[in-house]
Amino acid sequence: MALALIELVLLATTVLLARFGLEDFFHALNFPGRFTGAVLLVGSLTTLVGAVAVLDHWVRHCFPYSGLVALFCTFTALLANLMILVSTWRDGDSTFYKVMFAVLAAGSAAAAFAVWRTSVLVPTPKRVAVAVILPSVIAIANYGYQNLYQPYERETRPVITLSTGKAVLSQDRKAFMVPVDITLQNRGDRSFYVLGSEFHAMAQEVELSPKDRLRDQWRADAEQWTKPSEVNPLSRREIHQPGDLLDAQPWMPYGHWIESSDSFATRLVVQLPLDTPYDQVTFYATANLARKDRLVLQPPLLFMTKTWGTKNLPEWVKSEQKSDFDALIYRARVHENNAIDEYTRDPRYVTVYWRFGSHGANVVTTITRKGEEGHRLNAKEEREVSTRYGVIELLAGPYVQNLWDIKNQR
């Protein structure tokens, strides 16, 4: 009975380690993942040898050191099952895999104890100790690198630069155009998916006070900073009015990617009538990216729906829609960067909201399980999602263009 249970534990461990190891070795998105796959494959081969050694140690007695080999292999199975159990318990969602690896870990411990109790002959204890400790150190070091160091390693962040060219009058001299150049430079060694991007221009009227403004007026200006759309400076003479959305559009193709040491550049044009009441235009450019070594988007981001005329929307989207913000919604399936997480975690989806309204535009991204799009992540959950999938938001602006000299060309 004990022999059958030990064989079952070792063979089940062999199958699972081989399954995860093969996928990671050939398809993991980074070197640590592929190294983990190699370690899992070695562990799978070791437990398979252990199954043969246990059978020889209990029944055939053909090899004098089969007991020692069986002890080493059952200990390897215990170590592998414990590592995967810890990883699954911490990050996994599947109860099936949690229970399975808990049972296999307990079974491996019982198997190692049962083999040890058979008075296994250890000819050179020091060498055996090294042979046991060395793979343990390698496995623990790899686990620590994957789960402790890598999530907090120095991030690579591309840079957005935004600049405006010289405004040009139309042929009839009744309008002018302001060219805006936007460049994304990826100077690091990581590639990124483009989840969404937006460029928008805000126009403001700026009146001048004939005398110095009072302290209470400065305080009233500062109180407006509590609103995300109002960050006008405190000024002794200038009286800034709330900005109005002038222009908004994407400036990078969503769902595509930018490779390491690559760049993307585009030019947009903002047009205004010459008799516009505005005195300044402020330009902004943002991009939401995700690291290609942390996730796979499949299929690419596809348009799903819009917020107007649609009933099945998250409550937080409905509430913001009431405050004059609409959105286009895109979605894609997210695949994990390693086989263990891919099998033990529920499917995740990235949802991109391209939001626009009279007070500006922006891009909001969430990565959740299907049906949980309405859950607003707290600060801790946002950090965890950002760390796991390498999601970053890049900002450029505000870049202010004065219109007084242009309007004087009339």
Side-chain angles (χ1 to χ4, degrees):
M1 184 67 177
L3 175 62
L5 291 177
I6 294 173
E7 291 290 313
L8 180 62
V9 168
L10 290 176
L11 291 176
T13 301
T14 298
V15 171
L16 288 174
L17 294 185
R19 183 184 188 185
F20 293 153
L22 282 171
E23 292 208 20
D24 273 345
F25 186 74
F26 290 105
H27 303 295
L29 301 181
N30 50 38
F31 173 76
R34 302 215 172 191
F35 180 75
T36 298
V39 171
L40 292 176
L41 287 176
V42 172
S44 174
L45 180 61
T46 301
T47 54
L48 180 61
V49 171
V52 176
V54 167
L55 190 62
D56 183 81
H57 181 62
W58 245 267
V59 181
R60 303 189 64 183
H61 308 290
C62 296
F63 182 59
Y65 299 114
S66 59
L68 177 62
V69 174
L71 180 62
F72 173 78
C73 294
T74 52
F75 178 79
T76 301
L78 171 61
L79 186 64
N81 286 320
L82 278 177
M83 291 296 180
I84 298 178
L85 174 63
V86 171
S87 178
T88 304
W89 202 270
R90 191 192 69 168
D91 296 324
D93 303 309
S94 172
T95 303
F96 171 77
Y97 278 104
K98 289 179 181 179
V99 172
M100 175 178 290
F101 281 108
V103 170
L104 287 178
S108 301
F113 180 73
V115 174
W116 176 75
R117 288 194 62 186
T118 60
S119 302
V120 174
L121 176 63
V122 183
T124 53
K126 291 184 179 180
R127 292 182 181 178
V128 173
V130 171
V132 171
I133 292 173
L134 186 59
S136 303
V137 171
I138 293 175
I140 293 172
N142 181 64
Y143 178 83
Y145 181 84
Q146 283 271 70
N147 296 276
L148 298 178
Y149 170 73
Q150 191 182 15
Y152 300 100
E153 67 179 330
R154 186 170 177 264
E155 295 288 344
T156 58
R157 294 179 65 88
V159 177
I160 298 177
T161 56
L162 185 153
S163 61
T164 61
K166 183 178 180 181
V168 179
L169 285 173
S170 62
Q171 189 172 4
D172 58 6
R173 303 185 66 84
K174 292 183 178 180
F176 61 91
M177 297 172 289
V178 181
V180 181
D181 293 313
I182 308 174
T183 302
L184 175 67
Q185 293 181 313
N186 185 13
R187 301 167 180 168
D189 57 357
R190 299 289 188 271
S191 300
F192 289 86
Y193 285 108
V194 179
L195 301 181
S197 67
E198 63 84 19
F199 160 82
H200 71 275
M202 301 294 293
Q204 300 93 16
E205 295 183 58
V206 183
E207 299 180 11
L208 291 179
S209 173
K211 58 182 180 179
D212 289 350
R213 303 172 69 233
L214 300 176
R215 182 181 182 186
D216 289 342
Q217 294 173 311
W218 286 32
R219 289 176 174 175
D221 287 346
E223 288 176 358
Q224 300 303 309
W225 294 353
T226 59
K227 304 175 183 178
S229 59
E230 303 296 338
V231 288
N232 294 321
L234 302 181
S235 175
R236 184 175 296 274
R237 292 295 181 95
E238 293 181 353
I239 305 173
H240 285 261
Q241 303 299 320
D244 299 322
L245 181 66
L246 186 65
D247 189 289
Q249 59 184 298
W251 59 276
M252 293 185 71
Y254 60 85
H256 290 229
W257 55 83
I258 179 169
E259 300 290 354
S260 61
S261 303
D262 198 2
S263 63
F264 176 89
T266 187
R267 167 169 282 195
L268 307 175
V269 176
V270 178
Q271 302 186 59
L272 276 172
L274 199 59
D275 59 353
T276 179
Y278 301 117
D279 302 301
Q280 292 179 353
V281 177
T282 306
F283 302 104
Y284 302 82
T286 68
N288 287 50
L289 311 177
R291 283 173 52 164
K292 283 186 68 179
D293 62 337
R294 298 286 180 88
L295 57 79
V296 174
L297 295 184
Q298 186 181 2
L301 273 169
L302 298 175
F303 172 74
M304 188 181 69
T305 186
K306 56 188 184 299
T307 54
W308 58 95
T310 304
K311 295 182 179 180
N312 298 325
L313 294 173
E315 288 301 322
W316 68 270
V317 177
K318 293 180 180 178
S319 64
E320 293 191 0
Q321 189 180 16
K322 294 177 182 177
S323 61
D324 193 30
F325 265 94
D326 294 311
L328 300 176
I329 304 176
Y330 303 83
R331 180 169 294 167
R333 168 72 191 278
V334 170
H335 290 281
E336 307 289 338
N337 69 345
N338 65 83
I340 295 176
D341 286 345
E342 181 70 14
Y343 281 107
T344 63
R345 288 170 61 83
D346 293 338
R348 258 67 173 179
Y349 294 82
V350 58
T351 306
V352 180
Y353 301 87
W354 205 99
R355 302 171 64 246
F356 58 93
S358 60
H359 299 297
N362 68 345
V363 175
V364 177
T365 62
T366 63
I367 298 179
T368 59
R369 286 177 282 200
K370 194 170 184 178
E372 295 184 355
E373 295 85 357
H375 173 61
R376 293 303 301 267
L377 302 180
N378 56 38
K380 180 181 178 181
E381 291 172 329
E382 286 183 353
R383 285 195 301 271
E384 290 176 352
V385 169
S386 178
T387 298
R388 171 176 287 276
Y389 299 109
V391 178
I392 59 174
E393 181 178 10
L394 307 178
L395 306 172
Y399 191 99
V400 180
Q401 176 78 47
N402 194 337
L403 302 183
W404 292 335
D405 54 345
I406 300 173
K407 293 164 68 176
N408 286 336
Q409 297 180 36
R410 181 164 23 186

